[in-house]
Amino acid sequence: MDLIQETKLMMKKYHITANKNFGQNFLIDETVVNGIVEAADISKDDVIIEIGPGLGTLTAHLLEKAGKVICIELDKKMLDILHDRFYLYDNFELINQDVLKVDLANLIQTNLSFFQHVKVVANLPYYITTPIIMKLLESKLNLKSITVMVQKEVAERLVEIPGGKNTGAITYSIHYYTNPKLVIPVPNTSFIPSPKVDSSVIHLELLQDPRIKPLDEELFFKIIKIAFLQKRKTLINTLINGNFGDRASLEKMLGALQIDLKIRGEKLTLEQFQKIADYLSTQSSF
Ligand code: SAM
């Protein structure tokens, strides 16, 4: 039986219809499942945190490869099927909770007493892709890597080089904390129900230390956020609107840092944002 038939049968048997509110698009493409597992580079020394296991398609493969798989699933309707499929595996654990509310730091630390690495693997629910990725990065979790399926357009924004085309504030966080790469393109026909847009799998390898060291990390990210709130405006105007100084003092700063006075925030590199944040952090408190 192929994965499409198997998925349809499981859905019928457990009376499951995909719930849009939970971003449910179930994988039915064996090649993509294998591609995700391969990109995650899993061994028996690893604990995998799978966000949103759904019917357990990816989980079944993860359980064969990993020392332990901790699934975090919000939808109660998935619990019976996950239990029935995997209760015989002693390396399977299921947490029925919103991933955004789980104390991941504690979960990871506990598991690192028994395993070498913790890796996140998921076909993410699209409606909360950004909050999940930001939580994983900003909580400074002791993770080795994050391998996730996201919408194609989002994937491109995440792996784009800061200062490149079509970036977002999140692009800077990704490059600050990780080495990102696009792994595989995934057509929308790889899921049921089939979403409107294509997807991509990305792999984020966590850096031991952030790529750069701004004097004041909070200020650094605050400036990036403000620059991207009005990304079509010049950087200097967004800084004035954000109360980082008057035009004259900010022009003096950009001149001293050798940054074009007319540049838009979205064209800045990670290092240029660092220079600005470091300069402003020595001027006054923001
Ligand atoms: N892993 C399955 C697959 O690939 O076929 C399902 C992926 S589906 C795109 C996203 C899954 O995330 C669904 O099972 C959904 O119920 C679950 N989910 C949605 N919001 C969640 C949240 N806040 N916390 C944990 N799981 C969530």
Side-chain angles (χ1 to χ4, degrees):
M1 199 188 322
D2 65 18
L3 192 50
I4 305 177
Q5 280 176 300
E6 205 184 307
T7 306
K8 285 183 175 165
L9 270 179
M10 282 192 288
M11 291 175 76
K12 198 168 168 196
K13 181 172 168 203
Y14 287 85
H15 309 288
I16 286 170
T17 46
N19 186 339
K20 259 193 172 179
N21 293 333
F22 287 140
Q24 288 174 354
N25 298 98
F26 302 115
L27 259 172
I28 49 162
D29 188 332
E30 199 80 46
T31 315
V32 174
V33 176
N34 290 331
I36 296 173
V37 174
E38 200 174 307
D41 186 24
I42 303 166
S43 84
K44 288 285 171 193
D45 293 327
D46 297 330
V47 176
I48 303 298
I49 297 181
E50 189 192 1
I51 301 166
L55 307 169
T57 305
L58 193 50
T59 321
H61 291 248
L62 299 174
L63 282 166
E64 298 302 331
K65 297 249 173 184
K68 183 172 173 186
V69 180
I70 304 172
C71 290
I72 305 175
E73 174 58 63
L74 176 62
D75 188 359
K76 283 195 167 32
K77 285 198 179 140
M78 302 296 160
L79 303 187
D80 281 350
I81 186 164
L82 289 168
H83 172 264
D84 292 356
R85 285 187 77 176
F86 306 127
Y87 75 96
L88 287 176
Y89 285 81
D90 58 9
N91 60 342
F92 172 68
E93 188 179 318
L94 181 57
I95 300 174
N96 176 214
Q97 216 181 327
D98 176 349
V99 66
L100 295 178
K101 296 190 178 143
V102 175
D103 181 352
L104 291 174
N106 187 29
L107 185 70
I108 291 167
Q109 261 348 99
T110 310
N111 278 281
L112 279 175
S113 315
F114 307 100
F115 294 91
Q116 220 171 335
H117 299 298
V118 180
K119 299 174 178 174
V120 169
V121 180
N123 170 15
L124 286 179
Y126 293 158
Y127 73 107
I128 44 166
T129 300
T130 303
I132 293 175
I133 292 179
M134 289 313 292
K135 173 173 176 171
L136 296 176
L137 298 179
E138 285 181 342
S139 316
K140 300 188 188 298
L141 303 170
N142 198 348
L143 288 172
K144 177 82 175 153
S145 64
I146 302 170
T147 308
V148 284
M149 171 109 66
V150 297
Q151 285 184 337
K152 181 172 173 239
E153 198 188 319
V154 176
E156 284 165 359
R157 179 160 41 252
L158 296 182
V159 305
E160 178 62 278
I161 291 166
K165 281 187 200 151
N166 191 26
T167 53
I170 196 172
T171 312
Y172 291 79
S173 298
I174 294 275
H175 287 263
Y176 183 78
Y177 291 111
T178 81
N179 269 329
K181 67 171 189 228
L182 268 180
V183 183
I184 33 171
V186 181
N188 63 347
T189 49
S190 298
F191 309 88
I192 47 171
S194 168
K196 286 200 183 79
V197 294
D198 292 336
S199 296
S200 294
V201 177
I202 57 166
H203 178 76
L204 310 174
E205 183 193 55
L206 273 287
L207 299 170
Q208 290 246 312
D209 295 301
R211 194 176 297 279
I212 53 169
K213 284 198 189 331
L215 297 172
D216 181 341
E217 190 180 71
E218 209 182 315
L219 177 66
F220 169 74
F221 281 114
K222 189 173 163 193
I223 292 170
I224 293 175
K225 223 168 259 172
I226 281 172
F228 274 87
L229 278 179
Q230 302 166 302
K231 62 187 238 175
R232 302 284 166 221
K233 292 203 167 173
T234 57
L235 173 74
I236 202 159
N237 282 336
T238 60
L239 292 177
I240 293 168
N241 292 345
N243 294 323
F244 285 101
D246 57 26
R247 184 169 300 277
S249 64
L250 291 169
E251 278 184 357
K252 188 175 153 212
M253 172 188 76
L254 292 181
L257 301 177
Q258 296 180 314
I259 296 173
D260 182 354
L261 298 187
K262 293 205 164 64
I263 200 166
R264 293 201 307 260
E266 63 176 352
K267 290 290 153 217
L268 261 65
T269 63
L270 211 51
E271 290 75 13
Q272 284 173 317
F273 270 119
Q274 177 188 6
K275 280 187 187 169
I276 291 171
D278 286 355
Y279 184 100
L280 290 174
S281 72
T282 56
Q283 299 296 300
S284 57
S285 57
F286 289 102

